[in-house]
């Protein structure tokens, strides 16, 4: 939660607590940043809503009563927290990067980043380039080692200053019983 890297990745098992930890870090970053515009993305807007925006431990609940879901004057989905604006964007296919053209943001939170097209990832990273308070927050479930997310990003960033990568297991979810952990481990 107190991760202070410019690029921070929470990777691990489903139901391991990585999303809650990353959202708390994201909210602390937004609160302490002097910047105004931010981005959150998911495979789709629907998955972003279900995975990180709504629910008992979603962004809206964690930032209650200060967070408000809305639309800007152009019809873009946004969340407003005080004077901060977070754009909400889906990245379902290779053309999704076009939705980011012209956007200038300080930080980017990507839910399940391994499901995002590489073109979208490159564009989102470029949209943060001029921010003096640039921060990247990614969550992902592990995938195969030759996946482009490892080959072109995570493995290349290893050892880079400001890069933090945290690996979560079922044991990291303190709300889960040992019996349930064993059931899930056997299932997967």
């Amino acid at each position: 939660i107190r991760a202070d890297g410019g690029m921070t990745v929470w990777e691990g098992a489903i139901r391991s607590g990585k999303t809650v930890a990353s959202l708390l870090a994201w909210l602390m970053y937004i609160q302490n940043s002097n910047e105004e515009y931010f981005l959150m993305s998911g495979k789709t807007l629907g998955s972003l809503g279900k995975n990180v925006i709504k629910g008992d431990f979603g962004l809206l609940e964690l930032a209650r009563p200060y967070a408000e879901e809305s639309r800007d004057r152009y019809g873009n989905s946004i969340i407003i927290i005080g004077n901060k604006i977070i754009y909400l964007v889906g990245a379902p296919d290779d053309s999704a990067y076009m939705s980011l053209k012209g956007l200038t943001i300080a930080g980017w939170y990507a839910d399940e980043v391994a499901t995002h097209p590489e073109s979208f990832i490159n564009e989102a990273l470029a949209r943060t380039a001029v921010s003096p308070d640039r921060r990247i927050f990614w969550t992902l479930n592990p995938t195969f080692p030759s996946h482009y997310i490892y080959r072109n990003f995570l493995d290349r960033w290893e050892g880079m200053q400001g890069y933090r990568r945290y690996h979560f297991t079922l044991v990291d979810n303190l709300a889960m019983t040992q019996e349930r952990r064993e059931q899930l481990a056997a299932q997967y």
Side-chain angles (χ1 to χ4, degrees), residues 156-174:
R156 286 184 35 214
W157 291 349
E158 254 338 297
M160 212 166 97
Q161 183 177 1
Y163 175 63
R164 308 277 187 275
R165 185 169 163 188
Y166 300 99
H167 184 76
F168 284 70
T169 68
L170 293 176
V171 175
D172 294 308
N173 185 334
L174 301 177

Side-chain angles (χ1 to χ4, degrees), residues 37-43 45 48 72 76-78 85-110 113 116-130 134 136 138:
Y37 298 102
F38 304 87
L39 172 68
M40 292 183 81
S41 63
K43 177 67 173 173
L45 272 176
L48 181 65
D72 69 8
N76 298 306
S77 294
I78 60 173
I85 296 173
I86 305 168
Y87 291 98
L88 307 177
V89 178
D93 56 42
D94 278 329
S95 68
Y97 79 95
M98 294 298 293
S99 66
L100 303 178
K101 291 291 189 180
L103 188 63
T104 301
I105 53 172
W108 171 37
Y109 181 107
V113 72
H116 290 45
E118 190 171 3
S119 58
F120 184 93
I121 292 171
N122 287 324
E123 189 66 27
L125 290 170
R127 300 289 104 207
T128 66
V130 299
R134 179 184 198 240
I136 310 301
W138 286 359

